[in-house]
Amino acid sequence: MEHTPIQIRCKGIILHENKVLVVRHTEASTYFAFPGGHLEWGETPVECVKREIMEELGVEPVIGSLLYVNTFIQTDGTHNIEFFFEIKNAFDYLDTSGNDRSHAHEIHEILWLDKNHDFRLLPVAIDEEFKKGEIVSEITKQIKSK
């Protein structure tokens, strides 16, 4: 059996007044995503999401519950596992424009989306739960994207 590479990503879900903070990585990108990125060697998922949020948004996150674990296979065959953590200090992210963001070059756009948005937000399963007001729960939800 041939093994494909596995990538692990850790992302933050930042909710404030029925809106969620999302990012678009390039101008050409057709979708928005939750902020975060790849796990580095030796990191825990919590350490990864803290580092990635600091790099991208310039605010130290207060990490809450693990909300989702998403698994999907990229078109190149790479197996991806994503951990989505609740970020508890959403108020601190309302204006990140003046922050020291060491990886600001990785982010083309930062938006707060409400439940009636018409954008493509990935993963779709989390976007659907956000639109229903069910994104935060007491249990970690396992999802599998296509």
Side-chain angles (χ1 to χ4, degrees):
M1 173 186 252
E2 184 177 326
H3 295 282
T4 59
I6 295 176
Q7 289 187 345
I8 299 171
R9 294 185 178 102
C10 302
K11 299 186 174 204
I13 295 179
I14 304 170
L15 295 166
H16 182 72
E17 296 182 352
N18 297 315
K19 293 184 179 180
V20 66
L21 188 142
V22 298
V23 298
R24 187 164 59 134
H25 288 93
T26 66
E27 186 174 2
S29 180
T30 60
Y31 65 91
F32 284 85
F34 295 94
H38 294 92
L39 184 79
E40 292 184 354
W41 183 255
E43 277 185 321
T44 67
V46 168
E47 291 168 341
C48 175
V49 76
K50 280 186 175 183
R51 175 185 53 76
E52 286 286 347
I53 297 289
M54 281 291 300
E55 290 174 354
E56 292 181 358
L57 302 174
V59 177
E60 184 170 353
V62 175
I63 308 297
S65 299
L66 175 62
L67 299 175
Y68 296 91
V69 177
N70 180 40
T71 303
F72 67 96
I73 308 297
Q74 284 179 199
T75 54
D76 69 0
T78 302
H79 183 170
N80 288 267
I81 302 169
E82 296 178 311
F83 295 93
F84 291 85
F85 291 91
E86 178 183 15
I87 305 300
K88 305 286 270 181
N89 57 325
F91 183 82
D92 298 335
Y93 294 88
L94 294 179
D95 182 7
T96 60
S97 59
N99 293 356
D100 179 19
R101 299 167 43 226
S102 64
H103 287 57
H105 62 279
E106 295 178 354
I107 305 294
H108 174 72
E109 188 174 7
I110 300 169
L111 282 180
W112 284 95
L113 297 183
D114 66 23
K115 294 175 183 177
N116 299 314
H117 73 83
D118 290 327
F119 295 98
R120 185 169 169 233
L121 175 58
L122 297 179
V124 171
I126 298 177
D127 187 29
E128 289 171 352
E129 292 204 343
F130 167 61
K131 288 180 175 182
K132 292 189 279 186
E134 300 173 357
I135 201 166
V136 176
S137 76
E138 297 297 316
I139 61 166
T140 302
K141 298 175 186 171
Q142 305 285 323
I143 56 177
K144 189 171 186 177
S145 299
K146 295 179 181 180

